[in-house]
Amino acid sequence: MRRVVARYDDEGDAADAEADLRQAGLDPERPDIENPFFDPSARPPEARGLLWGGLVGGVVGAAILLAMAVDVLWVPRLSPIMSAGRLALVTFGFGLGAAVGGFVGGIWGTLGELSDPEGPRVAVRVSDAEVGDVKERLRTHDAVVVDDGATSYETR
């Protein structure tokens, strides 16, 4: 089973979507989002810091290894890495910095204040086979975001 959640800008669109789902024999609900981390229609909070952390970390990492390559900065015990060419060092520095910066930025993003959920939501539990049809029904009523998540798995 899957839980499909749609977010709307207009209360009337959400009511129309609920009525459409009821006509199709489904049981929609208006979910209360107690924790924005578990709202499938919201942007993941850690995404806020991943992009900027990765970019800043990549630039800083590339700058540090470039400075080491042109002998502006010296860090002991990194001599084996310095045998690479400047382009390889800058690429390695960017990749390493992006990984570290993205990790730190992702953690920083989860620590920030989350905005309150915007707009009314409509949720419905359906089987895996019905997900596509239900998503299309919700989108026809001008849903801003439609997403789904697995609630249980059937074993046969």
Side-chain angles (χ1 to χ4, degrees):
M1 295 292 288
R2 298 188 78 77
R3 181 174 185 243
V4 181
V5 180
R7 182 172 53 91
Y8 295 90
D9 283 337
D10 184 38
E11 183 67 36
D13 291 338
D16 291 344
E18 277 185 307
D20 187 20
L21 291 173
R22 282 197 181 91
Q23 286 178 352
L26 299 170
D27 186 27
E29 62 177 333
R30 291 289 182 102
D32 291 331
I33 305 299
E34 297 171 3
N35 188 342
F37 284 100
F38 298 110
D39 179 9
S41 67
R43 183 175 173 217
E46 64 273 8
R48 295 180 297 180
L50 281 174
L51 176 66
W52 286 108
L55 286 175
V56 170
V59 169
V60 168
I64 289 173
L65 284 187
L66 182 62
M68 290 173 64
V70 295
D71 293 329
V72 172
L73 178 68
W74 180 74
V75 178
R77 300 204 182 248
L78 287 181
S79 57
I81 198 173
M82 299 313 296
S83 62
R86 287 185 184 162
L87 181 61
L89 283 172
V90 170
T91 304
F92 178 69
F94 185 83
L96 188 62
V100 172
F103 178 76
V104 171
I107 291 174
W108 179 53
T110 60
L111 298 176
E113 282 294 318
L114 297 174
S115 59
D116 290 333
E118 299 173 359
R121 287 169 167 66
V122 175
V124 63
R125 282 184 169 64
V126 295
S127 67
D128 290 349
E130 297 174 301
V131 169
D133 179 49
V134 169
K135 281 185 173 183
E136 192 58 39
R137 284 180 183 272
L138 293 169
R139 284 188 184 109
T140 59
H141 297 285
D142 298 327
V144 177
V145 178
V146 177
D147 205 352
D148 66 288
T151 58
S152 63
Y153 296 98
E154 296 177 8
T155 57
R156 295 180 190 194

